[in-house]
Short mmCIF file of all heavy atoms in Angstrom, two decimals:
data_model
loop_
_atom_site.label_atom_id
_atom_site.label_comp_id
_atom_site.label_asym_id
_atom_site.label_seq_id
_atom_site.Cartn_x
_atom_site.Cartn_y
_atom_site.Cartn_z
N MET A 1 156.83 -70.43 239.75
CA MET A 1 155.86 -70.52 240.81
C MET A 1 154.49 -70.13 240.25
O MET A 1 154.37 -69.17 239.51
CB MET A 1 156.24 -69.60 241.96
CG MET A 1 155.22 -69.63 243.06
SD MET A 1 155.31 -68.27 244.24
CE MET A 1 156.61 -68.78 245.30
N THR A 2 153.47 -70.86 240.65
CA THR A 2 152.11 -70.59 240.23
C THR A 2 151.30 -70.13 241.43
O THR A 2 151.40 -70.72 242.50
CB THR A 2 151.46 -71.85 239.63
OG1 THR A 2 152.25 -72.27 238.52
CG2 THR A 2 150.06 -71.57 239.17
N THR A 3 150.51 -69.11 241.24
CA THR A 3 149.62 -68.65 242.30
C THR A 3 148.21 -69.10 241.97
O THR A 3 147.72 -68.86 240.87
CB THR A 3 149.65 -67.11 242.41
OG1 THR A 3 150.99 -66.70 242.69
CG2 THR A 3 148.71 -66.63 243.49
N LEU A 4 147.58 -69.76 242.92
CA LEU A 4 146.20 -70.19 242.76
C LEU A 4 145.36 -69.48 243.80
O LEU A 4 145.79 -69.31 244.94
CB LEU A 4 146.07 -71.70 242.94
CG LEU A 4 146.86 -72.55 241.95
CD1 LEU A 4 146.77 -74.01 242.32
CD2 LEU A 4 146.34 -72.33 240.54
N VAL A 5 144.17 -69.12 243.43
CA VAL A 5 143.25 -68.47 244.34
C VAL A 5 142.07 -69.41 244.57
O VAL A 5 141.49 -69.91 243.62
CB VAL A 5 142.76 -67.12 243.78
CG1 VAL A 5 141.74 -66.48 244.70
CG2 VAL A 5 143.94 -66.19 243.54
N ILE A 6 141.76 -69.63 245.83
CA ILE A 6 140.63 -70.49 246.17
C ILE A 6 139.51 -69.59 246.68
O ILE A 6 139.67 -68.88 247.67
CB ILE A 6 141.03 -71.53 247.22
CG1 ILE A 6 142.11 -72.43 246.63
CG2 ILE A 6 139.80 -72.34 247.66
CD1 ILE A 6 142.71 -73.41 247.60
N ASP A 7 138.41 -69.61 245.99
CA ASP A 7 137.29 -68.75 246.33
C ASP A 7 136.63 -69.22 247.62
O ASP A 7 136.48 -70.42 247.85
CB ASP A 7 136.27 -68.75 245.19
CG ASP A 7 135.17 -67.75 245.43
OD1 ASP A 7 135.42 -66.55 245.23
OD2 ASP A 7 134.07 -68.17 245.83
N ASP A 8 136.23 -68.29 248.46
CA ASP A 8 135.63 -68.63 249.75
C ASP A 8 134.26 -69.28 249.61
O ASP A 8 133.85 -70.07 250.46
CB ASP A 8 135.52 -67.39 250.63
CG ASP A 8 134.50 -66.41 250.10
OD1 ASP A 8 134.58 -66.06 248.91
OD2 ASP A 8 133.62 -66.00 250.87
N THR A 9 133.53 -68.98 248.55
CA THR A 9 132.18 -69.51 248.36
C THR A 9 132.14 -70.68 247.39
O THR A 9 131.44 -71.66 247.62
CB THR A 9 131.24 -68.40 247.86
OG1 THR A 9 131.22 -67.36 248.85
CG2 THR A 9 129.83 -68.91 247.64
N TYR A 10 132.91 -70.60 246.31
CA TYR A 10 132.86 -71.62 245.26
C TYR A 10 134.00 -72.62 245.34
O TYR A 10 134.00 -73.60 244.61
CB TYR A 10 132.83 -70.94 243.89
CG TYR A 10 131.67 -69.99 243.76
CD1 TYR A 10 131.87 -68.62 243.69
CD2 TYR A 10 130.37 -70.46 243.74
CE1 TYR A 10 130.81 -67.74 243.59
CE2 TYR A 10 129.29 -69.59 243.65
CZ TYR A 10 129.52 -68.23 243.57
OH TYR A 10 128.46 -67.38 243.48
N GLY A 11 134.98 -72.38 246.20
CA GLY A 11 136.07 -73.32 246.40
C GLY A 11 137.13 -73.27 245.31
O GLY A 11 137.21 -72.34 244.53
N ASP A 12 137.94 -74.33 245.29
CA ASP A 12 139.04 -74.46 244.34
C ASP A 12 138.48 -74.90 242.99
O ASP A 12 137.85 -75.96 242.89
CB ASP A 12 140.04 -75.49 244.87
CG ASP A 12 141.27 -75.64 244.00
OD1 ASP A 12 141.25 -75.25 242.83
OD2 ASP A 12 142.27 -76.18 244.52
N GLU A 13 138.70 -74.11 241.96
CA GLU A 13 138.16 -74.42 240.63
C GLU A 13 138.74 -75.70 240.05
O GLU A 13 138.13 -76.33 239.21
CB GLU A 13 138.43 -73.25 239.68
CG GLU A 13 137.68 -72.00 240.05
CD GLU A 13 138.05 -70.83 239.16
OE1 GLU A 13 138.92 -70.96 238.28
OE2 GLU A 13 137.45 -69.76 239.35
N ILE A 14 139.94 -76.10 240.49
CA ILE A 14 140.59 -77.28 239.94
C ILE A 14 140.19 -78.55 240.68
O ILE A 14 139.80 -79.54 240.08
CB ILE A 14 142.12 -77.10 239.94
CG1 ILE A 14 142.50 -75.94 239.03
CG2 ILE A 14 142.83 -78.39 239.52
CD1 ILE A 14 143.94 -75.51 239.12
N THR A 15 140.28 -78.53 242.02
CA THR A 15 140.02 -79.74 242.80
C THR A 15 138.61 -79.83 243.36
O THR A 15 138.17 -80.88 243.78
CB THR A 15 141.00 -79.84 243.98
OG1 THR A 15 140.70 -78.78 244.91
CG2 THR A 15 142.44 -79.76 243.53
N GLY A 16 137.92 -78.69 243.42
CA GLY A 16 136.60 -78.67 244.02
C GLY A 16 136.64 -78.55 245.54
O GLY A 16 135.60 -78.56 246.19
N ALA A 17 137.85 -78.46 246.13
CA ALA A 17 137.96 -78.35 247.59
C ALA A 17 137.25 -77.09 248.06
O ALA A 17 137.37 -76.02 247.45
CB ALA A 17 139.43 -78.31 248.01
N MET A 18 136.51 -77.22 249.15
CA MET A 18 135.75 -76.11 249.70
C MET A 18 136.25 -75.75 251.09
O MET A 18 136.55 -76.64 251.89
CB MET A 18 134.27 -76.50 249.82
CG MET A 18 133.59 -76.78 248.49
SD MET A 18 133.39 -75.33 247.47
CE MET A 18 132.31 -74.33 248.48
N PRO A 19 136.33 -74.47 251.40
CA PRO A 19 136.67 -74.08 252.77
C PRO A 19 135.51 -74.44 253.70
O PRO A 19 134.35 -74.44 253.29
CB PRO A 19 136.86 -72.57 252.70
CG PRO A 19 136.30 -72.14 251.41
CD PRO A 19 136.16 -73.32 250.53
N VAL A 20 135.85 -74.77 254.94
CA VAL A 20 134.85 -75.11 255.95
C VAL A 20 134.93 -74.05 257.04
O VAL A 20 135.98 -73.86 257.65
CB VAL A 20 135.10 -76.52 256.54
CG1 VAL A 20 134.10 -76.83 257.63
CG2 VAL A 20 135.06 -77.57 255.44
N TYR A 21 133.83 -73.37 257.27
CA TYR A 21 133.76 -72.30 258.25
C TYR A 21 133.13 -72.83 259.53
O TYR A 21 132.06 -73.44 259.49
CB TYR A 21 132.91 -71.14 257.72
CG TYR A 21 133.51 -70.52 256.49
CD1 TYR A 21 133.20 -71.00 255.22
CD2 TYR A 21 134.41 -69.47 256.60
CE1 TYR A 21 133.77 -70.44 254.09
CE2 TYR A 21 134.98 -68.90 255.48
CZ TYR A 21 134.65 -69.40 254.23
OH TYR A 21 135.22 -68.85 253.12
N SER A 22 133.81 -72.62 260.66
CA SER A 22 133.23 -73.07 261.92
C SER A 22 133.47 -72.04 263.02
O SER A 22 134.47 -71.34 262.99
CB SER A 22 133.79 -74.44 262.30
OG SER A 22 135.19 -74.38 262.48
N PRO A 23 132.54 -71.97 263.93
CA PRO A 23 131.20 -72.56 263.85
C PRO A 23 130.40 -71.85 262.76
O PRO A 23 130.51 -70.63 262.59
CB PRO A 23 130.61 -72.32 265.24
CG PRO A 23 131.37 -71.17 265.80
CD PRO A 23 132.72 -71.18 265.16
N PRO A 24 129.63 -72.61 262.00
CA PRO A 24 128.93 -72.04 260.84
C PRO A 24 128.05 -70.83 261.16
O PRO A 24 127.98 -69.89 260.38
CB PRO A 24 128.07 -73.20 260.32
CG PRO A 24 128.69 -74.43 260.87
CD PRO A 24 129.36 -74.04 262.15
N ALA A 25 127.42 -70.84 262.32
CA ALA A 25 126.51 -69.74 262.67
C ALA A 25 127.25 -68.43 262.95
O ALA A 25 126.64 -67.37 262.98
CB ALA A 25 125.68 -70.14 263.89
N SER A 26 128.58 -68.49 263.11
CA SER A 26 129.37 -67.28 263.39
C SER A 26 129.87 -66.60 262.13
O SER A 26 130.52 -65.56 262.21
CB SER A 26 130.56 -67.64 264.29
OG SER A 26 130.11 -68.06 265.55
N TRP A 27 129.60 -67.18 260.97
CA TRP A 27 130.08 -66.64 259.70
C TRP A 27 128.90 -66.19 258.85
O TRP A 27 127.84 -66.80 258.85
CB TRP A 27 130.87 -67.70 258.93
CG TRP A 27 132.16 -68.01 259.58
CD1 TRP A 27 132.40 -68.98 260.52
CD2 TRP A 27 133.40 -67.34 259.38
NE1 TRP A 27 133.71 -68.96 260.89
CE2 TRP A 27 134.35 -67.96 260.22
CE3 TRP A 27 133.80 -66.29 258.57
CZ2 TRP A 27 135.68 -67.55 260.25
CZ3 TRP A 27 135.12 -65.89 258.61
CH2 TRP A 27 136.05 -66.52 259.45
N THR A 28 129.10 -65.11 258.09
CA THR A 28 128.08 -64.61 257.18
C THR A 28 128.68 -64.46 255.80
O THR A 28 129.79 -63.97 255.65
CB THR A 28 127.57 -63.23 257.65
OG1 THR A 28 127.09 -63.34 258.98
CG2 THR A 28 126.45 -62.72 256.76
N ARG A 29 127.94 -64.92 254.78
CA ARG A 29 128.38 -64.69 253.40
C ARG A 29 128.31 -63.20 253.12
O ARG A 29 127.30 -62.56 253.40
CB ARG A 29 127.49 -65.44 252.42
CG ARG A 29 127.72 -66.94 252.44
CD ARG A 29 126.87 -67.67 251.42
NE ARG A 29 127.13 -67.17 250.08
CZ ARG A 29 126.18 -66.90 249.19
NH1 ARG A 29 124.93 -67.09 249.47
NH2 ARG A 29 126.50 -66.44 248.00
N GLY A 30 129.37 -62.66 252.59
CA GLY A 30 129.44 -61.22 252.34
C GLY A 30 128.37 -60.70 251.43
O GLY A 30 127.85 -59.60 251.64
N GLN A 31 128.01 -61.48 250.42
CA GLN A 31 126.99 -61.02 249.48
C GLN A 31 125.67 -60.78 250.21
O GLN A 31 124.94 -59.86 249.89
CB GLN A 31 126.77 -62.03 248.35
CG GLN A 31 128.01 -62.47 247.61
CD GLN A 31 128.73 -63.60 248.34
OE1 GLN A 31 129.44 -63.36 249.28
NE2 GLN A 31 128.59 -64.82 247.87
N ALA A 32 125.35 -61.63 251.18
CA ALA A 32 124.12 -61.45 251.95
C ALA A 32 124.22 -60.22 252.84
O ALA A 32 123.22 -59.54 253.08
CB ALA A 32 123.87 -62.70 252.80
N CYS A 33 125.42 -59.91 253.32
CA CYS A 33 125.62 -58.73 254.17
C CYS A 33 125.26 -57.47 253.43
O CYS A 33 124.61 -56.58 253.99
CB CYS A 33 127.07 -58.62 254.61
SG CYS A 33 127.57 -59.86 255.78
N GLY A 34 125.69 -57.39 252.19
CA GLY A 34 125.43 -56.18 251.43
C GLY A 34 123.94 -55.92 251.26
O GLY A 34 123.50 -54.78 251.30
N LEU A 35 123.17 -56.99 251.12
CA LEU A 35 121.73 -56.84 250.93
C LEU A 35 121.03 -56.52 252.24
O LEU A 35 120.12 -55.72 252.29
CB LEU A 35 121.15 -58.12 250.32
CG LEU A 35 121.70 -58.49 248.94
CD1 LEU A 35 121.14 -59.84 248.51
CD2 LEU A 35 121.37 -57.42 247.92
N ALA A 36 121.48 -57.16 253.32
CA ALA A 36 120.81 -56.99 254.61
C ALA A 36 121.44 -55.88 255.43
O ALA A 36 120.90 -55.49 256.46
CB ALA A 36 120.87 -58.30 255.38
N ASN A 37 122.60 -55.38 255.00
CA ASN A 37 123.31 -54.32 255.72
C ASN A 37 123.59 -54.72 257.17
O ASN A 37 123.43 -53.92 258.08
CB ASN A 37 122.53 -53.01 255.63
CG ASN A 37 123.43 -51.82 255.90
OD1 ASN A 37 124.64 -51.91 255.79
ND2 ASN A 37 122.83 -50.70 256.24
N GLU A 38 123.97 -55.98 257.38
CA GLU A 38 124.20 -56.51 258.72
C GLU A 38 125.66 -56.60 259.10
O GLU A 38 125.97 -56.93 260.23
CB GLU A 38 123.60 -57.91 258.83
CG GLU A 38 122.11 -57.96 258.64
CD GLU A 38 121.58 -59.38 258.60
OE1 GLU A 38 122.39 -60.32 258.67
OE2 GLU A 38 120.37 -59.55 258.51
N CYS A 39 126.59 -56.35 258.19
CA CYS A 39 127.99 -56.60 258.47
C CYS A 39 128.74 -55.34 258.86
O CYS A 39 128.44 -54.25 258.37
CB CYS A 39 128.65 -57.23 257.26
SG CYS A 39 127.95 -58.84 256.90
N LEU A 40 129.73 -55.52 259.72
CA LEU A 40 130.56 -54.40 260.14
C LEU A 40 131.58 -54.04 259.08
O LEU A 40 131.99 -52.89 258.97
CB LEU A 40 131.29 -54.76 261.44
CG LEU A 40 130.40 -55.03 262.64
CD1 LEU A 40 131.24 -55.51 263.82
CD2 LEU A 40 129.61 -53.79 263.02
N VAL A 41 132.01 -55.04 258.29
CA VAL A 41 133.00 -54.81 257.25
C VAL A 41 132.39 -55.24 255.92
O VAL A 41 131.89 -56.34 255.79
CB VAL A 41 134.28 -55.64 257.52
CG1 VAL A 41 135.27 -55.47 256.39
CG2 VAL A 41 134.89 -55.24 258.84
N ALA A 42 132.42 -54.37 254.95
CA ALA A 42 131.87 -54.68 253.64
C ALA A 42 132.87 -54.23 252.57
O ALA A 42 132.86 -53.07 252.17
CB ALA A 42 130.52 -54.02 253.44
N PRO A 43 133.75 -55.13 252.13
CA PRO A 43 134.71 -54.76 251.10
C PRO A 43 134.03 -54.51 249.76
O PRO A 43 132.88 -54.89 249.56
CB PRO A 43 135.64 -55.97 251.02
CG PRO A 43 134.84 -57.10 251.54
CD PRO A 43 133.89 -56.53 252.53
N ASP A 44 134.75 -53.89 248.87
CA ASP A 44 134.27 -53.66 247.51
C ASP A 44 134.19 -55.01 246.81
O ASP A 44 135.21 -55.67 246.62
CB ASP A 44 135.24 -52.73 246.80
CG ASP A 44 134.85 -52.44 245.36
OD1 ASP A 44 133.96 -53.12 244.80
OD2 ASP A 44 135.46 -51.53 244.79
N PRO A 45 133.01 -55.49 246.41
CA PRO A 45 132.87 -56.80 245.76
C PRO A 45 133.74 -56.96 244.52
O PRO A 45 134.18 -58.06 244.20
CB PRO A 45 131.39 -56.88 245.39
CG PRO A 45 130.72 -55.93 246.30
CD PRO A 45 131.72 -54.82 246.55
N SER A 46 134.04 -55.87 243.82
CA SER A 46 134.87 -55.98 242.62
C SER A 46 136.32 -56.33 242.97
O SER A 46 137.09 -56.74 242.10
CB SER A 46 134.83 -54.68 241.81
OG SER A 46 135.52 -53.64 242.49
N MET A 47 136.71 -56.18 244.23
CA MET A 47 138.06 -56.49 244.66
C MET A 47 138.18 -57.91 245.23
O MET A 47 139.26 -58.35 245.57
CB MET A 47 138.52 -55.48 245.72
CG MET A 47 138.52 -54.04 245.23
SD MET A 47 139.70 -53.74 243.91
CE MET A 47 141.22 -53.84 244.81
N ALA A 48 137.06 -58.61 245.36
CA ALA A 48 137.05 -59.96 245.93
C ALA A 48 136.97 -61.00 244.82
O ALA A 48 136.32 -60.77 243.79
CB ALA A 48 135.87 -60.12 246.88
N GLN A 49 137.64 -62.12 245.00
CA GLN A 49 137.59 -63.22 244.02
C GLN A 49 136.13 -63.60 243.79
O GLN A 49 135.40 -63.90 244.73
CB GLN A 49 138.38 -64.42 244.55
CG GLN A 49 138.37 -65.62 243.65
CD GLN A 49 139.21 -65.44 242.40
OE1 GLN A 49 140.01 -64.53 242.30
NE2 GLN A 49 139.03 -66.31 241.45
N ASN A 50 135.68 -63.57 242.56
CA ASN A 50 134.30 -63.88 242.17
C ASN A 50 133.27 -63.02 242.89
O ASN A 50 132.10 -63.38 242.96
CB ASN A 50 133.99 -65.36 242.39
CG ASN A 50 134.77 -66.24 241.43
OD1 ASN A 50 134.99 -65.89 240.28
ND2 ASN A 50 135.20 -67.38 241.91
N GLY A 51 133.70 -61.90 243.47
CA GLY A 51 132.78 -61.01 244.16
C GLY A 51 132.22 -61.58 245.44
O GLY A 51 131.18 -61.15 245.91
N THR A 52 132.92 -62.58 246.03
CA THR A 52 132.41 -63.23 247.24
C THR A 52 133.37 -63.07 248.40
O THR A 52 134.58 -62.94 248.21
CB THR A 52 132.18 -64.74 247.00
OG1 THR A 52 133.45 -65.38 246.79
CG2 THR A 52 131.28 -64.99 245.81
N TRP A 53 132.84 -63.08 249.60
CA TRP A 53 133.66 -63.08 250.81
C TRP A 53 132.81 -63.55 251.98
O TRP A 53 131.60 -63.60 251.90
CB TRP A 53 134.24 -61.69 251.09
CG TRP A 53 133.23 -60.67 251.51
CD1 TRP A 53 132.87 -60.34 252.79
CD2 TRP A 53 132.44 -59.86 250.65
NE1 TRP A 53 131.90 -59.38 252.77
CE2 TRP A 53 131.62 -59.06 251.47
CE3 TRP A 53 132.32 -59.72 249.28
CZ2 TRP A 53 130.72 -58.15 250.96
CZ3 TRP A 53 131.42 -58.81 248.78
CH2 TRP A 53 130.64 -58.04 249.61
N HIS A 54 133.46 -63.94 253.05
CA HIS A 54 132.80 -64.29 254.30
C HIS A 54 133.31 -63.35 255.38
O HIS A 54 134.46 -62.91 255.33
CB HIS A 54 133.12 -65.74 254.71
CG HIS A 54 132.26 -66.75 254.06
ND1 HIS A 54 132.37 -67.07 252.72
CD2 HIS A 54 131.27 -67.52 254.54
CE1 HIS A 54 131.49 -67.99 252.42
NE2 HIS A 54 130.80 -68.29 253.52
N GLY A 55 132.49 -63.07 256.35
CA GLY A 55 132.90 -62.22 257.44
C GLY A 55 132.40 -62.75 258.77
O GLY A 55 131.42 -63.49 258.84
N SER A 56 133.12 -62.38 259.81
CA SER A 56 132.74 -62.75 261.16
C SER A 56 133.26 -61.68 262.10
O SER A 56 134.38 -61.19 261.94
CB SER A 56 133.34 -64.11 261.54
OG SER A 56 132.91 -64.50 262.82
N ALA A 57 132.46 -61.28 263.06
CA ALA A 57 132.88 -60.27 264.01
C ALA A 57 132.57 -60.76 265.41
O ALA A 57 131.59 -61.46 265.64
CB ALA A 57 132.17 -58.96 263.75
N GLY A 58 133.44 -60.40 266.34
CA GLY A 58 133.22 -60.78 267.73
C GLY A 58 134.37 -60.33 268.58
O GLY A 58 135.34 -59.76 268.10
N ALA A 59 134.27 -60.60 269.85
CA ALA A 59 135.32 -60.22 270.80
C ALA A 59 136.35 -61.33 270.89
O ALA A 59 136.06 -62.50 270.60
CB ALA A 59 134.69 -59.97 272.17
N THR A 60 137.56 -60.98 271.32
CA THR A 60 138.62 -61.98 271.45
C THR A 60 138.28 -63.02 272.51
O THR A 60 138.81 -64.13 272.48
CB THR A 60 139.97 -61.32 271.79
OG1 THR A 60 139.82 -60.54 272.97
CG2 THR A 60 140.45 -60.45 270.65
N ALA A 61 137.40 -62.69 273.42
CA ALA A 61 137.01 -63.65 274.47
C ALA A 61 135.91 -64.60 274.01
O ALA A 61 135.53 -65.51 274.74
CB ALA A 61 136.56 -62.89 275.71
N ASP A 62 135.36 -64.38 272.81
CA ASP A 62 134.29 -65.25 272.31
C ASP A 62 134.78 -66.68 272.18
O ASP A 62 135.91 -66.93 271.77
CB ASP A 62 133.79 -64.79 270.93
CG ASP A 62 132.93 -63.55 271.00
OD1 ASP A 62 132.59 -63.13 272.12
OD2 ASP A 62 132.62 -63.00 269.93
N THR A 63 133.93 -67.61 272.52
CA THR A 63 134.23 -69.02 272.31
C THR A 63 133.05 -69.66 271.62
O THR A 63 131.91 -69.26 271.88
CB THR A 63 134.51 -69.74 273.65
OG1 THR A 63 133.40 -69.55 274.51
CG2 THR A 63 135.78 -69.25 274.29
N PRO A 64 133.22 -70.61 270.80
CA PRO A 64 134.51 -71.08 270.31
C PRO A 64 135.10 -70.08 269.31
O PRO A 64 134.39 -69.23 268.77
CB PRO A 64 134.18 -72.40 269.62
CG PRO A 64 132.77 -72.25 269.16
CD PRO A 64 132.11 -71.35 270.17
N PRO A 65 136.40 -70.20 269.03
CA PRO A 65 137.01 -69.31 268.06
C PRO A 65 136.46 -69.56 266.65
O PRO A 65 135.97 -70.64 266.35
CB PRO A 65 138.50 -69.64 268.14
CG PRO A 65 138.54 -71.03 268.69
CD PRO A 65 137.34 -71.16 269.58
N ARG A 66 136.55 -68.56 265.80
CA ARG A 66 136.14 -68.72 264.40
C ARG A 66 137.31 -69.31 263.62
O ARG A 66 138.44 -68.85 263.72
CB ARG A 66 135.76 -67.37 263.81
CG ARG A 66 134.39 -66.94 264.24
CD ARG A 66 134.50 -65.68 265.04
NE ARG A 66 133.18 -65.11 265.24
CZ ARG A 66 132.74 -64.78 266.43
NH1 ARG A 66 133.47 -64.98 267.49
NH2 ARG A 66 131.55 -64.27 266.57
N ILE A 67 137.01 -70.33 262.82
CA ILE A 67 138.06 -71.07 262.12
C ILE A 67 137.65 -71.29 260.67
O ILE A 67 136.47 -71.52 260.38
CB ILE A 67 138.29 -72.44 262.79
CG1 ILE A 67 138.75 -72.25 264.24
CG2 ILE A 67 139.28 -73.29 262.01
CD1 ILE A 67 138.75 -73.52 265.05
N ILE A 68 138.63 -71.22 259.76
CA ILE A 68 138.42 -71.60 258.36
C ILE A 68 139.41 -72.73 258.08
O ILE A 68 140.62 -72.56 258.24
CB ILE A 68 138.71 -70.45 257.39
CG1 ILE A 68 137.85 -69.23 257.73
CG2 ILE A 68 138.46 -70.89 255.95
CD1 ILE A 68 138.24 -67.99 256.97
N ASP A 69 138.89 -73.90 257.69
CA ASP A 69 139.73 -75.04 257.35
C ASP A 69 139.69 -75.27 255.85
O ASP A 69 138.64 -75.20 255.23
CB ASP A 69 139.23 -76.32 258.03
CG ASP A 69 139.55 -76.36 259.51
OD1 ASP A 69 140.69 -76.01 259.87
OD2 ASP A 69 138.66 -76.73 260.29
N LEU A 70 140.86 -75.56 255.28
CA LEU A 70 140.95 -75.91 253.87
C LEU A 70 142.07 -76.93 253.71
O LEU A 70 143.22 -76.66 254.09
CB LEU A 70 141.24 -74.68 253.01
CG LEU A 70 141.32 -74.94 251.52
CD1 LEU A 70 139.98 -75.44 250.98
CD2 LEU A 70 141.76 -73.73 250.77
N ASN A 71 141.75 -78.08 253.20
CA ASN A 71 142.75 -79.11 252.96
C ASN A 71 143.19 -79.03 251.52
O ASN A 71 142.38 -78.93 250.61
CB ASN A 71 142.15 -80.50 253.24
CG ASN A 71 141.81 -80.68 254.70
OD1 ASN A 71 142.58 -80.30 255.57
ND2 ASN A 71 140.64 -81.24 254.98
N PHE A 72 144.51 -79.04 251.31
CA PHE A 72 145.06 -79.02 249.96
C PHE A 72 146.42 -79.68 249.94
O PHE A 72 147.07 -79.83 250.97
CB PHE A 72 145.16 -77.59 249.42
CG PHE A 72 146.13 -76.72 250.18
CD1 PHE A 72 147.43 -76.59 249.75
CD2 PHE A 72 145.73 -76.04 251.32
CE1 PHE A 72 148.34 -75.80 250.44
CE2 PHE A 72 146.62 -75.23 252.00
CZ PHE A 72 147.93 -75.11 251.57
N ASN A 73 146.82 -80.11 248.76
CA ASN A 73 148.16 -80.64 248.54
C ASN A 73 148.96 -79.61 247.76
O ASN A 73 148.47 -79.06 246.79
CB ASN A 73 148.11 -81.95 247.74
CG ASN A 73 147.44 -83.06 248.52
OD1 ASN A 73 147.62 -83.18 249.73
ND2 ASN A 73 146.66 -83.88 247.84
N GLY A 74 150.14 -79.33 248.19
CA GLY A 74 150.95 -78.32 247.51
C GLY A 74 152.41 -78.67 247.56
O GLY A 74 152.83 -79.67 248.13
N MET A 75 153.20 -77.85 246.91
CA MET A 75 154.64 -78.04 246.90
C MET A 75 155.31 -76.91 247.62
O MET A 75 154.89 -75.84 247.67
CB MET A 75 155.16 -78.08 245.47
CG MET A 75 154.70 -79.28 244.75
SD MET A 75 155.53 -79.27 243.16
CE MET A 75 154.33 -80.04 242.17
#
């Protein structure tokens, strides 16, 4: 079994597939959060793939829901 990691910002290194965040305005790139100090959750960048992450915060009643889509072929 092979484990592949798909980076949230740079996508899949092999196929180039990129995650799609929706709605886009509800997501923040983690690296920008650290500089602007705007995020509720700020993980240690050394623990994240390529030092990148995305974050979104809101109530369960918020609409539309926050979604991450990624299309891939696997076994």
Side-chain angles (χ1 to χ4, degrees):
M1 178 196 280
T2 301
T3 301
L4 299 174
V5 177
I6 297 174
D7 187 77
D8 69 308
T9 300
Y10 303 111
D12 184 341
E13 294 175 357
I14 296 170
T15 67
M18 296 292 297
V20 177
Y21 297 89
S22 61
S26 294
W27 291 91
T28 304
R29 288 182 57 225
Q31 307 84 281
C33 289
L35 298 175
N37 201 20
E38 297 174 357
C39 296
L40 297 174
V41 176
D44 179 347
S46 71
M47 301 295 288
Q49 179 72 15
N50 292 324
T52 67
W53 69 93
H54 277 72
S56 183
T60 56
D62 285 352
T63 55
R66 282 117 169 128
I67 299 169
I68 303 170
D69 285 316
L70 181 63
N71 294 316
F72 65 94
N73 294 322
M75 292 186 212

